[in-house]
């Protein structure tokens, strides 16, 4: 009787840990910081910096995915991954408006992650 209750409690804790697990552990996995830096680079049309920060953003996101994969909805994870993929293409094309749309969408999905 005690083991099933402990297992249920364990799974509930995992499912509710999304907001805690998405917080950065260091600069290497700070998704929101990289989104903000990339946004500033795109606004100033510094495409080289935008490309560099998009790579950092992608690396940080891959680290965070491993932590949150069991505690958040898969569609939210996929949406952010798709935003980053589109962002890479927008920056390669030097399309300011498209890049800003993807950054804004990624930030909105990030804020909804774990709710």
């Amino acid at each position: 009787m005690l083991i099933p209750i402990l297992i249920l409690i364990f799974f509930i804790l995992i499912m509710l840990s999304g907001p805690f697990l998405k917080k950065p552990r260091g600069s290497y996995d700070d998704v929101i910081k990289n989104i903000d830096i990339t946004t500033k680079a795109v606004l100033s049309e510094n495409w080289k910096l935008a490309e560099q920060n998009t790579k950092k953003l992608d690396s940080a996101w891959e680290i965070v995915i491993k932590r949150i994969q069991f505690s958040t909805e898969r569609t939210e994870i996929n949406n952010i991954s798709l935003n980053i993929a589109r962002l890479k293409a927008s920056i390669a094309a030097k399309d300011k408006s498209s890049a800003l749309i993807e950054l804004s969408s990624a930030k909105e999905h990030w804020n909804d992650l774990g709710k």
Side-chain angles (χ1 to χ4, degrees):
M1 182 72 171
L2 183 61
I3 292 176
I5 292 172
L6 290 176
I7 290 172
L8 283 174
I9 290 171
F10 176 72
F11 285 122
I12 289 171
L13 289 175
I14 287 175
M15 293 175 67
L16 295 175
S17 64
F20 172 74
L21 293 175
K22 79 177 192 178
K23 292 182 182 177
R25 305 293 185 253
S27 61
Y28 62 92
D29 67 344
D30 196 342
V31 171
I32 202 68
K33 177 184 171 192
N34 285 309
I35 288 174
D36 291 339
I37 291 171
T38 307
T39 301
K40 289 176 186 173
V42 168
L43 285 170
S44 65
E45 296 187 22
N46 185 344
W47 299 110
K48 183 80 170 167
L49 180 62
E51 185 178 355
Q52 291 170 351
N53 279 301
T54 300
K55 288 178 184 176
K56 290 179 184 177
L57 171 61
D58 192 30
S59 296
W61 176 237
E62 290 300 320
I63 291 168
V64 172
I65 286 175
K66 292 174 184 158
R67 288 197 310 250
I68 65 169
Q69 64 185 334
F70 299 114
S71 61
T72 58
E73 290 185 34
R74 190 72 189 159
T75 55
E76 287 297 326
I77 291 172
N78 291 339
N79 287 338
I80 295 174
S81 296
L82 186 59
N83 289 132
I84 293 172
R86 289 180 185 155
L87 174 63
K88 289 177 186 177
S90 298
I91 289 173
K94 297 180 180 171
D95 185 350
K96 185 177 180 178
S97 62
S98 180
L100 291 173
I101 289 168
E102 295 304 329
L103 285 162
S104 178
S105 181
K107 193 170 189 176
E108 192 64 33
H109 287 298
W110 176 261
N111 290 335
D112 291 341
L113 203 62
K115 282 188 176 180

